[in-house]
Amino acid sequence: MSPSLLGGLTKSLAMTVLSEVGDKTFFAAAILAMRHPRKLVLAGCLSALTVMTALSASLGWAAPNLISRKWTHHITTLLFFVFGIWSLWEGFKEEGESEDLAELEAKLDADFKTNKGESKNKSKATEDTKKKQRPFLMQFFSPIFIKAFSITFFGEWGDKSQIATIGLAADENPFGVVIGGIIAQALCTTAAVMGGKSLASQISEKMVELSSGVLFLLFGIMSLLSGPEGQL
């Protein structure tokens, strides 16, 4: 394993774990797993996160082909410092109680109760008609899988971790970034699905934000010292 691949893998692994633990998609996976079969929720969430990681790394890999490596390196370094300060700011102003978990639980609870109430009122004939009218994807994938996939994918789109992954892939080995990101996503999502609300409620968002802020700043300093060629 080359140093560049290992460097991309370890940085992506550490960054993704600290970015995803306590994130909205982490809470969503935990709550969905309480309402639906865990295997379907895990499959949907992991599929979305894998696609998002690969897509983000691809964008980062393409960046040096559009602009010079020197500029992509400087932009990535700047992003690390910005996200580091941003995470520390959010950590310091966090009061310690998770509002995201309560908000997501209330929203998904309302959605779950609505769907449950509608399903009770449907006759078998209506159900058969509905099945025939399902969208193309719904005929091949479980509605629960689609729900977990869409909530996770759109929840991650434009998130701090996605932008950081793009920047990291532009400056490090993109294959290492993808492998590290997928391993981290698998660990975090599996923990969320298996641990459920009991695990999610024990996570301190304040400590997660502060830890990720320190890590982003550390990456920024390392990137600043290494230079565009990646040598200290």
Side-chain angles (χ1 to χ4, degrees):
M1 182 180 287
S2 65
S4 60
L5 183 66
L6 180 60
L9 190 155
T10 53
K11 283 186 177 182
S12 179
L13 180 64
M15 181 195 72
T16 305
V17 166
L18 286 177
S19 297
E20 292 303 318
V21 171
D23 189 59
K24 284 186 177 181
T25 52
F26 181 90
F27 292 144
I31 296 169
L32 284 172
M34 296 167 57
R35 311 285 190 269
H36 306 291
R38 290 179 177 178
K39 288 183 179 179
L40 288 173
V41 173
L42 182 62
C45 293
L46 276 182
S47 298
L49 292 169
T50 300
V51 170
M52 181 62 72
T53 301
L55 179 61
S56 301
S58 299
L59 291 173
W61 170 80
N65 296 319
L66 301 175
I67 56 178
S68 69
R69 183 165 185 79
K70 178 181 177 181
W71 279 105
T72 56
H73 177 81
H74 291 328
I75 292 171
T76 301
T77 303
L78 178 63
L79 283 174
F80 283 145
F81 281 113
V82 169
F83 288 149
I85 295 171
W86 182 6
S87 296
L88 288 175
W89 170 256
E90 289 186 339
F92 282 124
K93 73 176 185 178
E94 182 68 49
E95 295 181 356
E97 296 185 5
S98 174
E99 295 181 1
D100 287 344
L101 179 58
E103 290 175 3
L104 275 171
E105 187 175 16
K107 184 177 179 180
L108 291 174
D109 262 340
D111 185 43
F112 180 73
K113 288 177 182 178
T114 301
N115 291 338
K116 190 175 181 181
E118 288 177 354
S119 62
K120 285 182 179 179
N121 296 327
K122 288 177 181 176
S123 62
K124 191 176 186 307
T126 307
E127 195 67 46
D128 292 339
T129 305
K130 186 78 174 178
K131 189 174 182 181
K132 292 178 181 178
Q133 295 175 347
R134 278 182 179 177
F136 180 76
L137 285 176
M138 298 287 276
Q139 296 178 18
F140 296 94
F141 296 101
S142 164
I144 298 170
F145 176 91
I146 297 294
K147 183 177 182 179
F149 184 97
S150 58
I151 288 175
T152 305
F153 186 86
F154 292 110
E156 284 294 310
W157 188 263
D159 190 67
K160 183 169 51 181
S161 61
Q162 187 207 10
I163 300 172
T165 300
I166 294 172
L168 194 62
D171 209 41
E172 297 286 344
N173 187 297
F175 294 106
V177 172
V178 170
I179 295 170
I182 291 175
I183 292 173
Q185 300 284 13
L187 291 173
C188 292
T189 308
T190 302
V193 169
M194 300 306 294
K197 185 184 175 183
S198 58
L199 174 63
S201 61
Q202 296 299 317
I203 293 172
S204 170
E205 289 187 65
K206 185 181 183 72
M207 290 306 300
V208 170
E209 288 289 354
L210 291 176
S211 300
S212 61
V214 171
L215 185 67
F216 276 127
L217 290 178
L218 180 62
F219 284 171
I221 293 170
M222 291 172 62
S223 182
L224 190 64
L225 293 175
S226 67
E229 300 304 319
Q231 296 181 352
L232 292 172

